[in-house]
Amino acid sequence: MELCAALEVGGVTPSLAMVRAAVAGPLPVHVLIRPRGGDFVYSEAEKALIAADIVDIVAAGAAGIVIGAGDRSALDLAVLRSWGDLARRGADARGVPSV
């Protein structure tokens, strides 16, 4: 299942407490990592916040993350790769096989 908060703005990152409650259930949980509604063009401060959320949410037991990032004209592949790598390292640390 995908877990997020604030659907009225397109979804944002849920609280860590909500993530912990959801991963305690029977379904694999993929968590949306998005600090605000609106576009997916993030400032450097927002990118750092997203990275910190990824670390915390993967450590809390999420089966995966749901992310997006762009620049003004296309996907921001460099930042998406770095966030994916960060999530994989966290999953590896928990002994979760990567797909």
Side-chain angles (χ1 to χ4, degrees), residues 7-85:
L7 286 174
E8 67 276 7
V9 297
V12 297
T13 306
S15 72
L16 196 52
M18 183 183 290
V19 172
R20 288 183 180 129
V23 301
L27 298 175
V29 177
H30 292 76
V31 179
L32 177 66
I33 311 292
R34 186 177 183 211
R36 58 166 171 76
D39 65 23
F40 291 86
V41 179
Y42 296 117
S43 69
E44 292 305 312
E46 289 171 322
K47 290 176 185 177
L49 178 63
I50 290 167
D53 280 343
I54 290 170
V55 169
D56 291 344
I57 285 167
V58 170
I65 59 168
V66 180
I67 55 174
D71 58 28
R72 295 288 171 204
S73 62
L75 292 174
D76 187 339
L77 295 178
V79 77
L80 290 170
R81 263 189 223 97
S82 71
W83 291 340
D85 290 344

